[in-house]
Amino acid sequence: MPDFKLDLIKDVEIDDIDMRDYPDFCDAFLVGATYTGRELTEDELEYIQDSNPDWFYDQVWNTLH
C-alpha cells in the first residue's frame, strides 16, 4: 500500500457509529473517502483505518460533531 498523507484525505464517510458503544466505537468503519481527488478503494480504506487508529477515532468524533 502507498503511504497516505492523512491531511489529504477528504470527504470521509463512516458507518455503524453506535452511541451505545461509546467511547470505543469498535463497530464503526470507514466506508468512503477521497485522496487527492480520487475515490479510495475498499482495500485502501481498510488499510488507512487499520494503520491509523488515532486518526480514525478523530474522524469518528468529527462525524458526530
Side-chain angles (χ1 to χ4, degrees), residues 35-49:
Y35 185 74
T36 63
R38 73 167 181 84
E39 290 288 324
L40 293 170
T41 68
E42 220 175 282
D43 289 339
E44 290 171 327
L45 294 169
E46 185 177 333
Y47 172 78
I48 290 168
Q49 179 177 336

Side-chain angles (χ1 to χ4, degrees), residues 22 29 36 44 47 50 55:
Y22 171 84
F29 62 98
T36 63
E44 290 171 327
Y47 172 78
D50 292 346
W55 175 87

